[in-house]
Amino acid sequence: MVLKRMKNMITATINEGLDKLENPQIMLKQYLRDMDAEIAKAKHAIIKQQAIEKNFFMKKDEAEKLAAKRKEQAQRAFDAGEEDLARKALQEMKHFEAKAKQYEDLYEKAGEQVKDLKNQLSQLEDKFQNLKDKKNALIARANAAKAKEHMYTSINRIDSESTYKEFQRLEERICEMEIKANTYAGSSFEGNSSEWTKLEYADEAEKELEKMRKAKLG
């Protein structure tokens, strides 16, 4: 039936769409709006089918009344000795009886179709309500999955070889900066120490120099 195929199509579309969610809230709301629109169309189709069912019933009733009327006319014609007229009325009676049976069959089939459509509509409405109830839970699950995917992507990016190489390069650069800084600091300290040493032993050096002069003269 049309509604059953429509229900399966919508369910399959939702299942496929949930695997590719980009904006879960917007997409789920759109699916629900689409389903609501399809339910409205289904209700309209049922109303039309009910009208067809009613029309078959009215035609069946009309044919039965005409068959009864021809039967009564045939009886009157027969009682009046008008067998040809009675025969013609009986032929029309049979025609209308056949029509009544045909419309009765169509009426019953239309009724079964209406019942089947209502049953499928009820299932579709139940599924629609179930999805409405699950909407927030589905959105929460989708958001959690998206956040987890983002987290794993970030971890993989941090764990990538290029990232470690960049950190290694920066570490080596910092080591070079530290070595230079320590070298400058050491040079400055040694220079100051030398000047301090000169001042501290200046007198003693002068005495030794005086001894060397005397030894030379002597």
Side-chain angles (χ1 to χ4, degrees):
M1 299 300 295
V2 176
L3 279 177
K4 187 174 183 180
R5 289 198 301 271
M6 180 182 69
K7 180 184 71 175
N8 293 337
M9 178 187 68
I10 293 173
T11 303
T13 302
I14 289 176
N15 290 336
E16 181 182 0
L18 286 176
D19 292 335
K20 303 177 181 178
L21 288 182
E22 294 179 0
N23 192 322
Q25 188 171 3
I26 292 177
M27 294 185 72
L28 282 172
K29 285 182 178 180
Q30 184 60 50
Y31 283 133
L32 291 175
R33 281 195 294 268
D34 291 344
M35 285 189 69
D36 194 35
E38 293 300 329
I39 287 173
K41 291 179 183 178
K43 289 180 178 178
H44 183 66
I46 289 175
I47 292 174
K48 289 178 65 176
Q49 189 65 25
Q50 287 175 324
I52 293 173
E53 178 189 17
K54 183 178 180 181
N55 184 54
F56 284 146
F57 178 81
M58 292 174 63
K59 287 186 175 183
K60 177 186 78 71
D61 186 60
E62 181 182 3
E64 287 176 345
K65 289 179 179 179
L66 287 172
K69 184 176 181 180
R70 292 296 184 269
K71 183 178 181 180
E72 183 181 347
Q73 290 173 340
Q75 186 65 49
R76 287 203 303 266
F78 180 78
D79 292 341
E82 298 288 343
E83 290 190 7
D84 289 340
L85 188 60
R87 186 178 294 107
K88 183 178 179 180
L90 288 171
Q91 289 174 348
E92 291 185 1
M93 179 194 73
K94 290 297 182 181
H95 168 75
F96 287 122
E97 284 180 348
K99 278 293 187 182
K101 181 64 171 63
Q102 180 183 359
Y103 286 130
E104 183 177 12
D105 291 341
L106 292 172
Y107 167 71
E108 290 177 355
K109 288 180 180 178
E112 291 174 0
Q113 290 175 346
V114 169
K115 184 178 179 180
D116 187 45
L117 288 172
K118 285 183 176 180
N119 182 54
Q120 292 184 42
L121 175 62
S122 177
Q123 294 179 29
L124 190 59
E125 287 177 328
D126 289 343
K127 185 173 290 292
F128 176 68
Q129 185 59 48
N130 187 43
L131 284 177
K132 285 178 66 177
D133 294 339
K134 287 184 176 180
K135 182 185 70 174
N136 292 333
L138 289 172
I139 290 175
R141 285 170 55 192
N143 287 339
K146 191 173 183 179
K148 186 179 292 185
E149 181 182 3
H150 177 73
M151 180 183 66
Y152 286 146
T153 301
S154 299
I155 292 174
N156 289 335
R157 186 168 61 250
I158 292 172
D159 288 342
S160 67
E161 184 178 354
S162 60
T163 301
Y164 276 119
K165 284 184 177 179
E166 181 63 20
F167 269 76
Q168 185 177 2
R169 187 186 68 79
L170 291 173
E171 184 178 7
E172 291 173 355
R173 176 59 180 157
I174 291 171
C175 286
E176 291 176 3
M177 294 170 63
E178 289 175 341
I179 291 171
K180 286 184 179 180
N182 291 334
T183 301
Y184 291 146
S187 298
S188 176
F189 176 77
E190 289 174 0
N192 292 335
S193 176
S194 178
E195 291 298 323
W196 180 78
T197 300
K198 290 178 181 178
L199 292 174
E200 183 180 6
Y201 296 103
D203 292 340
E204 293 185 18
E206 191 63 33
K207 290 178 180 179
E208 290 296 324
L209 201 63
E210 185 62 29
K211 288 179 180 180
M212 294 172 68
R213 291 192 192 107
K214 290 178 178 180
K216 183 177 180 181
L217 292 175

